Amino acid sequence: MAMIRQPENFPETVKEVRRQLALSQEELAHALGVSFATVNRWENGKTIPSKLAQRQFEQFCKQKKIDPASGESSDKSRQDQAE
Amino acid sequence: MAMIRQPENFPETVKEVRRQLALSQEELAHALGVSFATVNRWENGKTIPSKLAQRQFEQFCKQKKIDPASGESSDKSRQDQAE
DNA sequence: CACGCCGCATAGCAGATGTTATATTGTCGG
DNA sequence: CCGACAATATAACATCTGCTATGCGGCGTG
């Protein structure tokens, strides 16, 4: 029985990932190939991402070396905001 | 009225790719992470794929070394269809 | 032939998404 | 304080997608 395992709270996860990368909702949306409204709805719990969107998001996180499951980047390669 | 630029005919492209890989609509759908109905609608021109879906499809083609633009695999690495 | 199975086409409904528009909030400079 | 601006929240409408069910034709088996 495969329980689809959605991160229990997708909204926070998205916000967290976005914050770690210092991206606006619009920028993240563009990076994922979806619209701003979609990311906004995800973060505010208005909708749940499609399989494709979930896949894309996870792939994006991997690519960016971010762990969506945890609340932290967890690795030491922080480039942080050198401004 | 959007002059969105699609591969001139997405329906044929999908059919062609699917045929080259000898996949059923259901199998391709699963490989792409969408439903059978969606692939079926694409092939029959009922709907146009979302950005995400287009992206996934193109990525799938690259991964499978198939050129969606042409009607042929174009390369010699054919896995046969010895059946 | 009758039956079941598979691949495909189609339809309806609910939910997700894209687009556009409007409102709110916070920040910055005057 | 006021205005301008960016980022965000929200809404409405059209389209796409997921799911389910149905129908059709082909194919093999009894």
Side-chain angles (χ1 to χ4, degrees):
Chain A
M1 313 261 289
M3 286 288 266
I4 317 178
R5 52 120 151 290
Q6 233 116 47
E8 42 224 70
N9 64 6
F10 191 70
E12 272 190 27
T13 302
V14 176
K15 283 183 187 170
E16 187 53 37
V17 168
R18 190 163 65 77
R19 201 153 297 199
Q20 286 180 26
L21 295 173
L23 297 174
S24 66
Q25 293 178 341
E26 195 177 356
E27 290 169 327
L28 176 59
H30 181 75
L32 291 174
V34 299
S35 69
F36 147 76
T38 295
V39 171
N40 186 281
R41 277 179 280 218
W42 290 346
E43 292 196 2
N44 291 288
K46 304 296 184 181
T47 59
I48 290 171
S50 65
K51 287 181 197 168
L52 218 47
Q54 287 182 44
R55 213 189 247 200
Q56 189 71 12
F57 180 70
E58 288 170 21
Q59 183 179 324
F60 176 78
C61 290
K62 272 186 204 164
Q63 182 183 312
K64 295 298 183 182
K65 307 252 174 59
I66 294 182
D67 189 355
S70 77
E72 273 295 334
S73 5
S74 79
D75 68 355
K76 56 303 253 36
S77 63
R78 12 162 70 322
Q79 6 210 315
D80 73 271
Q81 53 284 26
E83 285 267 318
Chain B
M1 353 205 7
M3 14 188 346
I4 324 171
R5 92 171 18 314
Q6 241 87 68
E8 34 221 89
N9 64 5
F10 191 69
E12 271 189 28
T13 303
V14 177
K15 283 183 189 172
E16 187 54 35
V17 169
R18 190 163 64 79
R19 202 151 295 200
Q20 285 181 26
L21 295 174
L23 297 175
S24 65
Q25 292 179 342
E26 195 178 356
E27 290 168 329
L28 176 60
H30 181 75
L32 291 174
V34 299
S35 69
F36 148 76
T38 296
V39 171
N40 186 281
R41 274 171 223 166
W42 290 346
E43 291 196 3
N44 292 288
K46 303 296 183 182
T47 59
I48 289 170
S50 65
K51 286 180 195 166
L52 216 48
Q54 287 182 46
R55 213 189 246 204
Q56 188 72 12
F57 180 70
E58 287 169 23
Q59 182 178 324
F60 176 79
C61 290
K62 272 186 202 164
Q63 181 183 314
K64 295 297 182 183
K65 308 251 174 54
I66 293 184
D67 188 356
S70 76
E72 275 294 334
S73 0
S74 81
D75 68 357
K76 55 304 226 87
S77 65
R78 0 174 66 324
Q79 310 236 222
D80 82 76
Q81 52 238 66
E83 283 275 313

